[in-house]
Amino acid sequence: MTPTEVIVVGGGAIGLASAWRLAQGGLTVTVCDPAPGSQATHASAGMLAPVTEAHYGEDRLLGLNRCGAERWPAFAGELEAESGCPVGYRTCGSLLVALDADDARVLDDLAAYLDRLGLDAEPLTGSQARAVEPALAPGVRRGLRVLGDHQADNRLLAEALLAALAGRGVDVVRQAVRCIVVEDGAVAGVALGDDTVLAADRVLLAAGAWSAGIEGLPADARPPVRPVKGQILRIQGPVDEPVLAGNVRGLVRGRSLYLVPRASGRIVVGATVEEQGFDTTVTVEGIHQLLHDAAVLVPGLLDLELAEIGAGLRPGSPDNEPVVGPTTVDGLFVATGHHRNGILLTPVTADAVAGLFGVGPAVAEIAGFGPDRFTPAEAS
């Protein structure tokens, strides 16, 4: 049997896409995850929103997010062609809306910020916003139209990646990794939950919010990620007469939420941002907040079926930016910490990993996002 050249720890979108690129590069790859695609990838809304996710002072992250968005069309086409599975990539744009005067001022500030950056965003009055999305409530005060924000179906993405990996003979071991085996400062493989040891001289740690909890790593090689809880719900609307034409991001009395319509008529509504550790409890308060704010913006949602509620854990780093690159352990690389942008950054991260492993061109935009940017105290 050909020995495994690379073990990928984690089967979310980042881990699966990275494994696909590495396999395309001719490496023998094994992915370890007890339930691939079941965690943050499953809970995500799949928004590809480099512009409307832009925040003051995050110009470097904005550049990476835009790079991720630019790679999505080719990535989606290539993955669909190889896997034979759709990924639900849609170029429907986003509409940001504000409910009251205070929210409108925040939206105006964002519009001015995007204009300074040279990003395409069209300010709208409330009536103009309702012309774009007639389902919006009459009380909407202001809008901001962004055609560059798209979407993908995160669950279809995971299925397509698994199909592509199967086509390339990648072994997906459906067990958790208990420990990364390090010998003399270098990776030697991983130990699974049943204590089976898989040997490899290179490992990619892409276990999302769980990346910091894998045993066996010295403190300075442990990625400083934490879980950030997000509660989310899905509403089933009609297929033949969609409630929304595109993505809607709303500000409701200072709270942010998004509504992402699928071609199936389903509308994803999310998401809370909670520092609750590894708690994934779905709370009445969290779901009530989402339903209330969504219905304030789009009253017609109250007549539809509440199809699903749930919660996921985003991997957040100290600066809420990705952590991608080599560690202090020879042969150990990390790709985690993508926070709210995991699906958006899947193509560029996978390409960057291929470059780091020497089977693809280097991705200049990933520079500065390595784990070496944190102090020893943050890394531990």
Side-chain angles (χ1 to χ4, degrees), residues 119-166:
L119 300 179
D120 187 17
E122 178 188 4
L124 303 174
T125 64
S127 60
Q128 289 172 330
R130 288 189 294 276
V132 174
E133 288 287 359
L136 291 175
V140 167
R141 297 285 295 268
R142 192 88 80 252
L144 190 65
R145 194 177 188 184
V146 180
L147 298 179
D149 282 1
H150 302 157
Q151 64 160 280
D153 189 317
N154 42 295
R155 297 177 180 181
L156 293 180
L157 171 64
E159 293 174 6
L161 286 168
L162 285 168
L165 292 179

Short mmCIF file of all heavy atoms in Angstrom, two decimals, residues 119-166:
data_model
loop_
_atom_site.label_atom_id
_atom_site.label_comp_id
_atom_site.label_asym_id
_atom_site.label_seq_id
_atom_site.Cartn_x
_atom_site.Cartn_y
_atom_site.Cartn_z
N LEU A 119 -15.20 50.13 -3.60
CA LEU A 119 -16.05 48.95 -3.75
C LEU A 119 -17.42 49.36 -4.26
O LEU A 119 -17.97 50.39 -3.87
CB LEU A 119 -16.18 48.21 -2.42
CG LEU A 119 -14.86 47.70 -1.83
CD1 LEU A 119 -15.10 47.00 -0.51
CD2 LEU A 119 -14.18 46.74 -2.81
N ASP A 120 -17.98 48.54 -5.10
CA ASP A 120 -19.23 48.86 -5.78
C ASP A 120 -20.41 48.60 -4.85
O ASP A 120 -20.72 47.45 -4.52
CB ASP A 120 -19.37 48.02 -7.05
CG ASP A 120 -20.56 48.42 -7.89
OD1 ASP A 120 -21.08 49.54 -7.67
OD2 ASP A 120 -20.98 47.63 -8.74
N ALA A 121 -21.07 49.65 -4.40
CA ALA A 121 -22.26 49.54 -3.56
C ALA A 121 -23.16 50.74 -3.87
O ALA A 121 -22.70 51.88 -3.85
CB ALA A 121 -21.88 49.51 -2.09
N GLU A 122 -24.42 50.48 -4.14
CA GLU A 122 -25.36 51.52 -4.55
C GLU A 122 -26.31 51.88 -3.41
O GLU A 122 -27.16 51.06 -3.03
CB GLU A 122 -26.17 51.03 -5.75
CG GLU A 122 -27.21 52.02 -6.23
CD GLU A 122 -28.13 51.44 -7.28
OE1 GLU A 122 -28.00 50.24 -7.60
OE2 GLU A 122 -28.99 52.20 -7.79
N PRO A 123 -26.20 53.09 -2.84
CA PRO A 123 -27.14 53.51 -1.80
C PRO A 123 -28.56 53.65 -2.36
O PRO A 123 -28.76 54.12 -3.49
CB PRO A 123 -26.60 54.87 -1.35
CG PRO A 123 -25.17 54.89 -1.80
CD PRO A 123 -25.14 54.09 -3.07
N LEU A 124 -29.55 53.22 -1.57
CA LEU A 124 -30.94 53.27 -1.98
C LEU A 124 -31.79 53.91 -0.88
O LEU A 124 -31.49 53.77 0.31
CB LEU A 124 -31.48 51.86 -2.25
CG LEU A 124 -30.76 51.00 -3.28
CD1 LEU A 124 -31.36 49.60 -3.29
CD2 LEU A 124 -30.82 51.62 -4.66
N THR A 125 -32.84 54.58 -1.30
CA THR A 125 -33.85 55.01 -0.33
C THR A 125 -34.68 53.80 0.07
O THR A 125 -34.57 52.71 -0.52
CB THR A 125 -34.77 56.06 -0.95
OG1 THR A 125 -35.49 55.45 -2.04
CG2 THR A 125 -33.97 57.25 -1.48
N GLY A 126 -35.53 53.99 1.08
CA GLY A 126 -36.39 52.90 1.49
C GLY A 126 -37.29 52.41 0.38
O GLY A 126 -37.44 51.19 0.16
N SER A 127 -37.89 53.33 -0.37
CA SER A 127 -38.77 52.93 -1.46
C SER A 127 -38.00 52.22 -2.57
O SER A 127 -38.50 51.27 -3.19
CB SER A 127 -39.52 54.15 -2.01
OG SER A 127 -38.61 55.12 -2.52
N GLN A 128 -36.79 52.67 -2.85
CA GLN A 128 -35.97 51.99 -3.86
C GLN A 128 -35.60 50.57 -3.42
O GLN A 128 -35.59 49.64 -4.23
CB GLN A 128 -34.71 52.81 -4.13
CG GLN A 128 -34.96 54.10 -4.89
CD GLN A 128 -33.72 54.97 -4.98
OE1 GLN A 128 -32.86 54.96 -4.08
NE2 GLN A 128 -33.61 55.75 -6.05
N ALA A 129 -35.31 50.42 -2.12
CA ALA A 129 -35.00 49.09 -1.60
C ALA A 129 -36.20 48.17 -1.74
O ALA A 129 -36.06 46.99 -2.11
CB ALA A 129 -34.56 49.19 -0.14
N ARG A 130 -37.39 48.69 -1.47
CA ARG A 130 -38.61 47.86 -1.60
C ARG A 130 -38.92 47.54 -3.05
O ARG A 130 -39.53 46.52 -3.35
CB ARG A 130 -39.78 48.56 -0.92
CG ARG A 130 -39.68 48.56 0.60
CD ARG A 130 -40.95 49.07 1.25
NE ARG A 130 -41.18 50.49 0.96
CZ ARG A 130 -40.63 51.48 1.65
NH1 ARG A 130 -39.82 51.22 2.67
NH2 ARG A 130 -40.88 52.74 1.35
N ALA A 131 -38.49 48.40 -3.96
CA ALA A 131 -38.65 48.08 -5.38
C ALA A 131 -37.77 46.90 -5.78
O ALA A 131 -38.15 46.07 -6.62
CB ALA A 131 -38.32 49.31 -6.22
N VAL A 132 -36.57 46.81 -5.17
CA VAL A 132 -35.67 45.68 -5.43
C VAL A 132 -36.22 44.41 -4.79
O VAL A 132 -36.21 43.33 -5.39
CB VAL A 132 -34.26 45.99 -4.91
CG1 VAL A 132 -33.35 44.76 -5.04
CG2 VAL A 132 -33.66 47.16 -5.68
N GLU A 133 -36.69 44.53 -3.54
CA GLU A 133 -37.24 43.40 -2.79
C GLU A 133 -38.63 43.79 -2.28
O GLU A 133 -38.78 44.33 -1.19
CB GLU A 133 -36.33 43.03 -1.61
CG GLU A 133 -35.03 42.35 -1.99
CD GLU A 133 -35.24 40.90 -2.46
OE1 GLU A 133 -36.41 40.43 -2.46
OE2 GLU A 133 -34.25 40.25 -2.83
N PRO A 134 -39.69 43.54 -3.06
CA PRO A 134 -41.03 43.97 -2.65
C PRO A 134 -41.52 43.37 -1.34
O PRO A 134 -42.44 43.92 -0.72
CB PRO A 134 -41.90 43.49 -3.83
CG PRO A 134 -40.97 43.42 -5.00
CD PRO A 134 -39.66 42.98 -4.42
N ALA A 135 -40.92 42.27 -0.89
CA ALA A 135 -41.37 41.65 0.36
C ALA A 135 -40.91 42.42 1.60
O ALA A 135 -41.36 42.12 2.71
CB ALA A 135 -40.85 40.21 0.44
N LEU A 136 -40.03 43.40 1.44
CA LEU A 136 -39.56 44.16 2.59
C LEU A 136 -40.69 44.96 3.23
O LEU A 136 -41.63 45.40 2.57
CB LEU A 136 -38.43 45.10 2.17
CG LEU A 136 -37.10 44.47 1.77
CD1 LEU A 136 -36.15 45.54 1.25
CD2 LEU A 136 -36.47 43.73 2.94
N ALA A 137 -40.55 45.17 4.54
CA ALA A 137 -41.56 45.92 5.29
C ALA A 137 -41.57 47.38 4.88
O ALA A 137 -40.53 47.94 4.49
CB ALA A 137 -41.28 45.81 6.79
N PRO A 138 -42.74 48.04 4.98
CA PRO A 138 -42.81 49.47 4.64
C PRO A 138 -41.91 50.35 5.48
O PRO A 138 -41.53 51.44 5.05
CB PRO A 138 -44.29 49.80 4.88
CG PRO A 138 -45.01 48.50 4.80
CD PRO A 138 -44.05 47.47 5.32
N GLY A 139 -41.56 49.90 6.68
CA GLY A 139 -40.76 50.72 7.57
C GLY A 139 -39.28 50.77 7.27
O GLY A 139 -38.53 51.47 7.95
N VAL A 140 -38.81 50.03 6.27
CA VAL A 140 -37.39 50.06 5.92
C VAL A 140 -36.99 51.47 5.50
O VAL A 140 -37.61 52.07 4.63
CB VAL A 140 -37.10 49.04 4.81
CG1 VAL A 140 -35.71 49.26 4.22
CG2 VAL A 140 -37.22 47.62 5.33
N ARG A 141 -35.93 52.00 6.14
CA ARG A 141 -35.55 53.40 5.92
C ARG A 141 -34.50 53.59 4.83
O ARG A 141 -34.47 54.62 4.17
CB ARG A 141 -34.99 53.98 7.24
CG ARG A 141 -36.00 54.02 8.37
CD ARG A 141 -36.99 55.16 8.16
NE ARG A 141 -36.34 56.46 8.23
CZ ARG A 141 -36.24 57.17 9.35
NH1 ARG A 141 -36.72 56.71 10.49
NH2 ARG A 141 -35.66 58.37 9.33
N ARG A 142 -33.61 52.65 4.68
CA ARG A 142 -32.48 52.84 3.78
C ARG A 142 -32.02 51.48 3.24
O ARG A 142 -32.24 50.43 3.87
CB ARG A 142 -31.33 53.53 4.49
CG ARG A 142 -30.24 54.03 3.57
CD ARG A 142 -30.50 55.44 3.06
NE ARG A 142 -30.11 56.42 4.08
CZ ARG A 142 -30.96 57.14 4.80
NH1 ARG A 142 -32.26 56.96 4.65
NH2 ARG A 142 -30.54 58.04 5.67
N GLY A 143 -31.37 51.50 2.09
CA GLY A 143 -30.83 50.28 1.52
C GLY A 143 -29.47 50.51 0.91
O GLY A 143 -29.05 51.64 0.65
N LEU A 144 -28.74 49.42 0.70
CA LEU A 144 -27.43 49.46 0.05
C LEU A 144 -27.34 48.20 -0.79
O LEU A 144 -27.34 47.08 -0.27
CB LEU A 144 -26.31 49.51 1.09
CG LEU A 144 -24.90 49.77 0.57
CD1 LEU A 144 -24.80 51.17 -0.02
CD2 LEU A 144 -23.89 49.62 1.71
N ARG A 145 -27.28 48.38 -2.11
CA ARG A 145 -27.29 47.25 -3.03
C ARG A 145 -25.86 46.89 -3.42
O ARG A 145 -25.10 47.75 -3.88
CB ARG A 145 -28.11 47.58 -4.26
CG ARG A 145 -28.47 46.39 -5.13
CD ARG A 145 -29.36 46.81 -6.29
NE ARG A 145 -29.86 45.67 -7.03
CZ ARG A 145 -30.59 45.76 -8.13
NH1 ARG A 145 -30.89 46.96 -8.62
NH2 ARG A 145 -31.02 44.67 -8.75
N VAL A 146 -25.51 45.61 -3.25
CA VAL A 146 -24.16 45.13 -3.54
C VAL A 146 -24.28 43.92 -4.45
O VAL A 146 -24.68 42.83 -4.02
CB VAL A 146 -23.41 44.75 -2.24
CG1 VAL A 146 -22.01 44.26 -2.56
CG2 VAL A 146 -23.35 45.94 -1.30
N LEU A 147 -23.94 44.10 -5.73
CA LEU A 147 -24.09 43.00 -6.68
C LEU A 147 -22.98 41.97 -6.56
O LEU A 147 -23.13 40.84 -7.01
CB LEU A 147 -24.12 43.56 -8.11
CG LEU A 147 -25.29 44.50 -8.42
CD1 LEU A 147 -25.20 44.99 -9.86
CD2 LEU A 147 -26.63 43.82 -8.18
N GLY A 148 -21.87 42.34 -5.93
CA GLY A 148 -20.73 41.43 -5.84
C GLY A 148 -20.83 40.37 -4.77
O GLY A 148 -19.97 39.48 -4.69
N ASP A 149 -21.86 40.42 -3.92
CA ASP A 149 -22.07 39.39 -2.90
C ASP A 149 -22.91 38.27 -3.48
O ASP A 149 -24.02 38.51 -3.98
CB ASP A 149 -22.78 39.98 -1.68
CG ASP A 149 -21.85 40.77 -0.78
OD1 ASP A 149 -20.66 40.89 -1.13
OD2 ASP A 149 -22.31 41.27 0.25
N HIS A 150 -22.40 37.04 -3.41
CA HIS A 150 -23.08 35.90 -4.00
C HIS A 150 -23.39 34.87 -2.92
O HIS A 150 -23.35 35.18 -1.72
CB HIS A 150 -22.23 35.31 -5.12
CG HIS A 150 -21.91 36.30 -6.21
ND1 HIS A 150 -20.83 36.17 -7.06
CD2 HIS A 150 -22.54 37.45 -6.59
CE1 HIS A 150 -20.81 37.19 -7.91
NE2 HIS A 150 -21.83 37.98 -7.64
N GLN A 151 -23.70 33.64 -3.31
CA GLN A 151 -23.96 32.59 -2.32
C GLN A 151 -23.65 31.23 -2.93
O GLN A 151 -23.60 31.06 -4.15
CB GLN A 151 -25.41 32.61 -1.85
CG GLN A 151 -26.44 32.31 -2.91
CD GLN A 151 -27.78 31.87 -2.34
OE1 GLN A 151 -27.95 30.72 -1.96
NE2 GLN A 151 -28.73 32.80 -2.29
N ALA A 152 -23.42 30.27 -2.04
CA ALA A 152 -23.31 28.86 -2.42
C ALA A 152 -24.09 28.07 -1.39
O ALA A 152 -24.32 28.53 -0.27
CB ALA A 152 -21.85 28.40 -2.45
N ASP A 153 -24.52 26.87 -1.76
CA ASP A 153 -25.21 26.00 -0.81
C ASP A 153 -24.16 25.19 -0.08
O ASP A 153 -23.54 24.28 -0.65
CB ASP A 153 -26.20 25.09 -1.55
CG ASP A 153 -27.10 24.33 -0.59
OD1 ASP A 153 -26.60 23.82 0.43
OD2 ASP A 153 -28.31 24.23 -0.86
N ASN A 154 -23.94 25.52 1.18
CA ASN A 154 -22.86 24.91 1.95
C ASN A 154 -23.00 23.39 2.06
O ASN A 154 -22.01 22.66 2.05
CB ASN A 154 -22.81 25.52 3.34
CG ASN A 154 -24.18 25.73 3.95
OD1 ASN A 154 -24.97 26.53 3.43
ND2 ASN A 154 -24.47 25.03 5.03
N ARG A 155 -24.22 22.90 2.17
CA ARG A 155 -24.42 21.46 2.32
C ARG A 155 -24.17 20.72 1.01
O ARG A 155 -23.58 19.63 1.00
CB ARG A 155 -25.83 21.20 2.85
CG ARG A 155 -26.02 21.79 4.25
CD ARG A 155 -27.41 21.61 4.80
NE ARG A 155 -27.49 22.20 6.14
CZ ARG A 155 -28.59 22.19 6.90
NH1 ARG A 155 -29.70 21.61 6.45
NH2 ARG A 155 -28.59 22.74 8.10
N LEU A 156 -24.59 21.33 -0.10
CA LEU A 156 -24.27 20.75 -1.40
C LEU A 156 -22.76 20.79 -1.65
O LEU A 156 -22.19 19.87 -2.27
CB LEU A 156 -25.00 21.50 -2.51
CG LEU A 156 -26.52 21.38 -2.55
CD1 LEU A 156 -27.09 22.19 -3.71
CD2 LEU A 156 -26.97 19.93 -2.63
N LEU A 157 -22.10 21.83 -1.17
CA LEU A 157 -20.65 21.95 -1.33
C LEU A 157 -19.95 20.78 -0.66
O LEU A 157 -19.04 20.17 -1.25
CB LEU A 157 -20.17 23.27 -0.72
CG LEU A 157 -18.67 23.46 -0.60
CD1 LEU A 157 -18.01 23.48 -1.97
CD2 LEU A 157 -18.34 24.74 0.17
N ALA A 158 -20.34 20.45 0.57
CA ALA A 158 -19.71 19.33 1.27
C ALA A 158 -19.93 18.02 0.52
O ALA A 158 -19.00 17.20 0.38
CB ALA A 158 -20.25 19.23 2.69
N GLU A 159 -21.14 17.81 0.01
CA GLU A 159 -21.43 16.58 -0.75
C GLU A 159 -20.58 16.51 -2.01
O GLU A 159 -20.05 15.44 -2.36
CB GLU A 159 -22.91 16.53 -1.10
CG GLU A 159 -23.83 16.37 0.11
CD GLU A 159 -25.30 16.48 -0.27
OE1 GLU A 159 -25.59 16.57 -1.49
OE2 GLU A 159 -26.16 16.46 0.64
N ALA A 160 -20.44 17.62 -2.70
CA ALA A 160 -19.65 17.64 -3.92
C ALA A 160 -18.18 17.36 -3.63
O ALA A 160 -17.51 16.63 -4.38
CB ALA A 160 -19.81 18.98 -4.63
N LEU A 161 -17.66 17.94 -2.58
CA LEU A 161 -16.26 17.72 -2.23
C LEU A 161 -16.01 16.26 -1.86
O LEU A 161 -14.99 15.67 -2.25
CB LEU A 161 -15.84 18.64 -1.08
CG LEU A 161 -15.64 20.11 -1.46
CD1 LEU A 161 -15.53 20.98 -0.23
CD2 LEU A 161 -14.39 20.28 -2.33
N LEU A 162 -16.92 15.66 -1.12
CA LEU A 162 -16.76 14.24 -0.76
C LEU A 162 -16.80 13.37 -2.01
O LEU A 162 -16.04 12.40 -2.12
CB LEU A 162 -17.84 13.83 0.24
CG LEU A 162 -17.65 14.34 1.67
CD1 LEU A 162 -18.91 14.12 2.50
CD2 LEU A 162 -16.45 13.65 2.33
N ALA A 163 -17.67 13.71 -2.95
CA ALA A 163 -17.73 12.95 -4.20
C ALA A 163 -16.44 13.10 -5.00
O ALA A 163 -15.92 12.13 -5.57
CB ALA A 163 -18.94 13.40 -5.03
N ALA A 164 -15.91 14.32 -5.04
CA ALA A 164 -14.65 14.54 -5.76
C ALA A 164 -13.50 13.79 -5.12
O ALA A 164 -12.64 13.22 -5.81
CB ALA A 164 -14.35 16.04 -5.82
N LEU A 165 -13.46 13.76 -3.79
CA LEU A 165 -12.41 13.03 -3.08
C LEU A 165 -12.52 11.54 -3.35
O LEU A 165 -11.51 10.84 -3.55
CB LEU A 165 -12.50 13.30 -1.58
CG LEU A 165 -12.14 14.72 -1.14
CD1 LEU A 165 -12.29 14.86 0.36
CD2 LEU A 165 -10.72 15.09 -1.55
N ALA A 166 -13.75 11.02 -3.36
CA ALA A 166 -13.94 9.59 -3.64
C ALA A 166 -13.45 9.26 -5.05
O ALA A 166 -12.81 8.22 -5.27
CB ALA A 166 -15.41 9.23 -3.49
#
